[in-house]
Amino acid sequence: MNTATISQLEATLLNSLAPHIRKTLTDNGFALPDSAEPYLRLLDEGGRKKRSTAAASHWNPATDLIELGFEEVSDEADSVPQQAIAAPGAEAAPLSGSITSENQSYPQSAVTVPSVQDDERLDDLVRVLDRIESSPGMSFVALKRLRDDVLPYQGFPWAAETAARKDVLGCAVDLKLVLIGKQPNPKLPEFPVTSVRLNRYHPRVRKALALDPVDEMKWEPITIPGEPLSHTVIRDRGPR
């Protein structure tokens, strides 16, 4: 009896089909950039994605649909299209100055983003990603899995549409709330997995998670038994 899930079947089909499709496209003059990553989704006959945790037998190859494509995802956050995601009927609030992220300063003058009171979608995203990152055994979070398999099932009305999820993620990356990375893909080494992680030093991330601001984080000094380290270094150096 086949106990595979939709997610497992998608991974199996992707591993089998993507390399051949990429080669066929290249052979016919449609070469893809190295940063173009494959994706595959199993859909019902109406074009709605099958739930990832459902049994694979719920997808019928005779009547349902399969979607396979390539999309380019860059490591550089600045290459993500900047999207204004103000709430309906509200204007996005342009911010100026700079924000501090991972001990770096980023200018915000060119980024148009919603204010907290106008739109809570960024905060929704931050809290969901925080819960996933806090799950036992979670080493990293794949961007596509977050966008396509997690966010649609969180009960957020805005996350029902693919375009809205891309907009919110794009804005979060622009603002450095979410940082992009690459993870090895054992099954398809030529296609590393694009990962996302929270920038937990960012003021807005800390506020959404009800954490102390960075400048108010309390650090207690640790007392190390023995003589001062400087004395040890000087003694071991010996006479000059």
Side-chain angles (χ1 to χ4, degrees), residues 5-218:
T5 65
I6 289 291
S7 178
Q8 292 170 329
L9 179 57
E10 287 176 334
T12 299
L13 293 173
L14 180 65
N15 294 337
S16 299
L17 298 175
H20 298 292
I21 292 179
R22 179 185 280 273
K23 183 178 184 302
T24 300
L25 288 172
T26 301
D27 292 346
N28 285 274
F30 296 97
L32 292 164
D34 293 338
S35 56
E37 296 184 8
Y39 67 89
L40 185 146
R41 303 184 185 104
L42 297 178
L43 316 173
D44 64 20
E45 57 185 346
R48 295 181 296 273
K49 187 184 182 307
K50 292 284 188 177
R51 184 178 289 273
S52 299
T53 55
S57 58
H58 288 184
W59 181 76
N60 185 343
T63 58
D64 291 331
L65 307 175
I66 182 170
E67 177 186 16
L68 189 150
F70 294 83
E71 60 183 6
E72 189 169 2
V73 180
S74 172
D75 289 336
E76 295 297 329
D78 290 340
S79 67
V80 179
Q82 295 175 354
Q83 303 287 347
I85 55 171
E91 294 184 0
L95 300 186
S96 59
S98 63
I99 57 178
T100 300
S101 167
E102 296 285 306
N103 298 323
Q104 300 180 55
S105 182
Y106 300 94
Q108 285 185 262
S109 56
V111 181
T112 301
V113 297
S115 59
V116 176
Q117 62 269 25
D118 290 335
D119 198 311
E120 294 291 334
R121 284 177 282 186
L122 289 174
D123 295 336
D124 291 339
L125 172 64
V126 166
R127 295 183 188 111
V128 169
L129 188 49
D130 174 62
R131 288 200 300 271
I132 298 174
E133 289 181 345
S134 302
S135 301
M138 181 62 64
S139 58
F140 71 91
V141 181
L143 183 151
K144 290 179 182 176
R145 187 166 186 82
L146 172 67
R147 183 190 64 204
D148 299 329
D149 298 332
V150 176
L151 285 175
Y153 305 108
Q154 299 302 309
F156 306 135
W158 61 266
E161 298 294 332
T162 300
R165 297 195 299 273
K166 287 184 176 180
D167 285 350
V168 173
L169 277 165
C171 187
V173 172
D174 281 341
L175 291 176
K176 309 298 189 294
L177 307 181
V178 172
L179 305 176
I180 297 289
K182 290 288 186 181
Q183 302 294 330
N185 186 346
K187 295 182 178 179
L188 286 174
E190 65 271 32
F191 301 126
V193 177
T194 298
S195 63
V196 291
R197 63 185 176 92
L198 280 179
N199 178 3
R200 296 179 180 273
Y201 290 95
H202 194 290
R204 177 154 183 172
V205 171
R206 301 192 68 79
K207 184 173 182 179
L209 299 179
L211 300 174
D212 290 336
V214 173
D215 57 0
E216 294 181 10
M217 294 172 66
K218 304 298 188 297

